[in-house]
Amino acid sequence: MYTYKKRIVVKVGTSVMANRDNRIMLSALTKLVDQISKLYEDDIMTVLVSSGSVNAGKEVLGDVITEDKSQRRQIFSAIGQPRLMRHYYTLFQNNGMRCAQVLGTKRDFNPGEHRTNMINCYEGLMSEGVIPIANEDDAVSVSHSMFSDNDELASLIAEMIQADMLIILTDIDGFYTGHPNDDNSKLIREITVDQEVEHYIAKSDKGEASGRGGMKSKLKVAKNAAAKGIPTYIANGKRDRVILDIVEGKDVGTKVTA
């Protein structure tokens, strides 16, 4: 049975994984997997919450004749999820590691048998030294069963497994006092759950290229997680060693604390 010193949850957004043509970049996935592998060597277990299945599906199909927005998302995700997992499986295997896919809907986190089954699944995988890779089950998750975005999914998993840390990776360095491209904007290094910074969002939020989440969502999720005792970081996933630097306590991104 694998034993570890810490367990962390890392959420990677589509904007980190995809290029300007919205195609998944293997180089980005490789950097991500290499960092998780290094943490594993240091007895730190990572649960990876990965976006990108819809983009991966579009790479295969191009476009579809279906006009219904929800059905298009289901089709792209159903095609793209195994393609995305094949990339992860190969990359982790190259590092001598194993990974597993865990899909879920919002209903699975409600108190009861579904939640218990989810907990048992994650605990079982981690005890065997297998990296769980989580994503919303877009193929069946519609309307009320949908997460607001994968940021919310990551926070629910972090709470469920009692993670020591939650890291949300996007394509900017953290939470700013204005638009990230504005020379007058400043990166906020630390935010507390009761600190009023929401007024900055209208000026700073640029969203994610192909995802549903923006900085408003990330701040809400980070504050909720921090309020439950899980320090949360919002950082630039395109930065080299960003996960390792955060775990090592370096001054990276925006930290949200209770």
Side-chain angles (χ1 to χ4, degrees), residues 170-191 196-206 215-216 219 234-236 239 252-255:
T170 183
D171 59 349
I172 57 176
D173 292 332
F175 195 82
Y176 282 81
T177 58
H179 194 282
N181 295 334
D182 188 340
D183 291 338
N184 295 322
S185 297
K186 295 182 179 179
L187 178 65
I188 304 175
R189 289 295 184 183
E190 187 165 335
I191 298 172
E196 293 292 336
V197 294
E198 283 74 8
H199 59 282
Y200 291 126
I201 289 175
K203 295 185 293 182
S204 67
D205 202 349
K206 69 188 208 56
M215 292 308 292
K216 181 178 181 180
L219 180 61
I234 302 170
N236 193 333
R239 169 180 170 149
V252 178
T254 299
K255 180 181 181 180

Side-chain angles (χ1 to χ4, degrees), residues 34-100:
D34 287 347
Q35 290 180 83
I36 294 173
S37 300
K38 178 64 171 63
L39 292 176
Y40 185 87
E41 293 174 2
D42 295 334
D43 297 326
I44 297 174
M45 169 58 71
T46 303
V47 174
L48 175 62
V49 180
S50 176
S51 301
S53 63
V54 171
N55 287 61
K58 289 179 179 178
E59 289 180 18
V60 177
L61 293 180
D63 200 2
V64 292
I65 60 174
T66 305
E67 296 183 1
D68 182 86
K69 186 177 179 180
S70 295
Q71 194 173 43
R72 288 171 65 90
R73 179 168 162 267
Q74 289 175 300
I75 292 169
F76 285 133
S77 177
I79 293 291
Q81 191 64 42
R83 177 179 172 85
L84 184 64
M85 281 304 302
R86 184 178 65 185
H87 292 324
Y88 279 126
Y89 184 89
T90 300
L91 291 171
F92 275 111
Q93 188 177 49
N94 290 343
N95 282 275
M97 297 176 62
R98 298 168 296 173
C99 65

